[in-house]
Amino acid sequence: MKKYLPIFRKAALFQGINDMDLESMLQCLSAKRSAYQKGQVLVQKGMTMSSVGLVLSGALHLLNDDFWGNRTILAQIVPGELFGETYACVQTAPLQVTVQAAEATEVLYLDIRKIMTLCTASCTFHARLLQNLIFVLAQKNLLLTQKLEHTSKRTTRDKLLSYLSAESIKAGCATFSIPFNRQELADYLGVDRSAMSSALCKLRDEGILEFQKNQFALTHSVQP
Amino acid sequence: MKKYLPIFRKAALFQGINDMDLESMLQCLSAKRSAYQKGQVLVQKGMTMSSVGLVLSGALHLLNDDFWGNRTILAQIVPGELFGETYACVQTAPLQVTVQAAEATEVLYLDIRKIMTLCTASCTFHARLLQNLIFVLAQKNLLLTQKLEHTSKRTTRDKLLSYLSAESIKAGCATFSIPFNRQELADYLGVDRSAMSSALCKLRDEGILEFQKNQFALTHSVQP
DNA sequence: AAGCATCTGTTGTTTTTACAACAAAAGGAG
DNA sequence: CTCCTTTTGTTGTAAAAACAACAGATGCTT
């Protein structure tokens, strides 16, 4: 593991931790190494992660393939960087992305539970505060990722369907209300209000959804 | 402060912390309360934050106004939720958003340094690990926010200018290279590759930028 | 109830995009 | 060097969006 010291030294996760501490820490965290070939999929969209991945060599791509096969690169992960930390911190959330090796890549996996649990319970609620902050940041990550998933759709229609079906799923009900008026929704989706209004009414005319004010109902199951 | 207990109980930041601990903790963290009127701006884009804001009542909007006045609502913050935590955790990063009161709103500010510093130094590098994880998550937040800023532009041309000028600033140099080929860049920006290629060449013909392969140079200062 | 401001839907025009199909350039392997 | 693959640029067409201007609906205040 020593040959990766240059990577560890520049890794954000290990800043301020010296080489000696590092080695014992890696054992303590039960770090495990894996290697992948170019194009190989490390984790599939929809799965969950219980550990954080640290790229040792090569590069990864975070991909978002939609239903029709449009592929969006959300990010590129290079040596020293992490992936999956958001989903490891919010284990109830299934991966919204697929992780693929952009080239031959080595990865070090660290168990998130061992990272989060402070050895000595010195100041209980202060430690809890840090854990909560981590959770908040990870969840905000998810919100941003979700918004990106909506706004990355090519047409206003698809942006609407992506957003509304996500809201529907979140509400656990075909009928739901949204926290935006039309102008705010248009701003959120990054589109023109009047064009969005047209698209909305067209969807209603096609019988795909119903609405009045900010109460919506998806009447057909639609692939976002 | 007791009247906000229902808010505190459902606030993600305070999960797993009981009411008694909470009160002493708030003093320990030197929490400070402020009130705002509808439409009032709490923090302006470009500033920095040294504390985290917790909304007690009302609602906030995170706004992104671009150079020409197009306004995007990045998020809505309701009671119990935080704002500014990303920028408080990465204090070198100036706010990319403006925080505005969507209605009359009360906010509780918590000093981030007091949150991050564990009272007893029990397991030094483990605590450091948590701090680093927080930093990583906050920075990923920034990356997602930046991508959103690019992709929320209405035209391919503006998306390109937004992205390239950001890369230029990041490189600290008018000439810089990007980590994508054309197809990957198009995927990242969520646009069609060939249309993007056209837009790129048009910008070159107009003398706004030069490029060969993934080496770019902005020849005029352009407002993204 | 009347008046006013805000929100929402409608329509037509212009601009921009996605898409497709192809041509040119660059890079690698034998 | 030549063949082959990948990448990048070009062009034309059909679809979609932005924009602007307006009309109807809704809600609030007086």
Side-chain angles (χ1 to χ4, degrees), chain A residues 34-43 49 52-63 72-85 95 97-109, chain B residues 140 179-180 184:
Chain A
S34 297
Y36 302 91
Q37 300 166 355
K38 173 173 181 174
Q40 200 174 346
V41 170
L42 284 72
V43 204
M49 292 191 69
V52 172
L54 172 68
V55 174
L56 299 172
S57 68
L60 300 177
H61 277 171
L62 300 192
L63 306 174
T72 308
I73 300 178
L74 293 174
Q76 182 170 238
I77 317 287
V78 297
E81 294 182 346
L82 298 181
F83 73 94
E85 76 285 357
L95 261 80
V97 296
T98 292
V99 183
Q100 186 184 38
E103 51 194 270
T105 302
E106 290 174 296
V107 169
L108 190 73
Y109 289 103
Chain B
K140 186 144 291 181
F180 299 123
E184 290 171 333

Side-chain angles (χ1 to χ4, degrees), chain B residues 90-110:
Chain B
V90 189
Q91 290 197 33
T92 52
L95 261 80
Q96 307 256 10
V97 296
T98 293
V99 184
Q100 187 185 38
E103 53 194 89
T105 302
E106 289 172 297
V107 169
L108 189 72
Y109 289 104
L110 305 168

